[in-house]
Amino acid sequence: MANIQQASAQDKVEKIAKITLWTLIGLTILVVALFVGIGYDTPYEEKPTIVNPQLTDLLICWTYFLIAAAALSTVGAILYGFVSGGNKSRNEDKGFLKHTGLVAWGTFIVSIVVGVALGAANSSEVMLINGKDWNEPSAIILTDASMVSIIVLTIVTVIATAYSMITSKK
């Protein structure tokens, strides 16, 4: 009887997680669509050849919210695993799932290394930021490393999420 109640509680948690995930995906699509759709016909004052999107602050705030939500849900999942006594022998990970931590950290480290290498290769370039030339090599390296890691990690996350949804048995 306790196993049935535990399975039922796990099913409820999984349903809540799926609903939350799909809601966040929908809201993210909406925020990106608003960002792309509003203000792209307005030229930037200092350089009229560049467009001035009006909802940049919304996109940045949404990104901060997603980062905070990811951190909180990670801590919550870890605490839930400890509290519920996630029995590893009963739910043994198989195949690709055994190596998800290695894949995640490996992808992160490789993306940072590639970003730093690209930034070092482009450190002599000049960036135009708010109408000012900026050619500080450390800032260019940091910017390139951040952008490459964001792109690579986003692609890997989308692939892992799609793989997880496709191979889900429930």
Side-chain angles (χ1 to χ4, degrees), residues 91-168:
N91 299 321
E92 190 67 36
D93 291 336
K94 296 178 177 98
F96 179 70
L97 292 177
K98 270 188 197 175
H99 307 292
T100 52
L102 180 64
V103 169
W105 282 108
T107 303
F108 174 71
I109 291 168
V110 167
S111 67
I112 293 294
V113 169
V114 169
V116 168
L118 288 173
N122 296 324
S123 63
S124 62
E125 297 290 323
V126 176
M127 290 190 295
L128 182 67
I129 299 176
N130 294 331
K132 297 178 184 175
D133 288 342
W134 200 13
N135 60 356
E136 187 178 325
S138 62
I140 293 173
I141 291 170
L142 182 62
T143 302
D144 282 358
S146 299
M147 293 308 296
V148 168
S149 66
I150 287 169
I151 291 167
V152 169
L153 291 172
T154 300
I155 292 168
V156 169
T157 301
V158 168
I159 291 169
T161 303
Y163 177 79
S164 173
M165 292 172 134
I166 291 168
T167 60
S168 176

Side-chain angles (χ1 to χ4, degrees), residues 17 32 39 53 56 87 145:
V32 171
T56 305
N87 189 357

Side-chain angles (χ1 to χ4, degrees), residues 13-26:
V13 169
E14 286 180 16
K15 271 188 176 180
I16 292 170
K18 284 183 181 181
I19 291 169
T20 304
L21 174 67
W22 283 108
T23 303
L24 290 175
I25 289 172

Side-chain angles (χ1 to χ4, degrees), residues 20-36 55 58-67 69 154 158:
T20 304
L21 174 67
W22 283 108
T23 303
L24 290 175
I25 289 172
L27 287 172
T28 300
I29 290 170
L30 177 67
V31 167
V32 171
L34 289 172
F35 173 76
V36 170
L55 297 179
L58 173 66
L59 185 64
I60 291 171
C61 289
W62 182 248
T63 304
Y64 287 150
F65 169 76
L66 289 176
I67 290 169
T154 300
V158 168

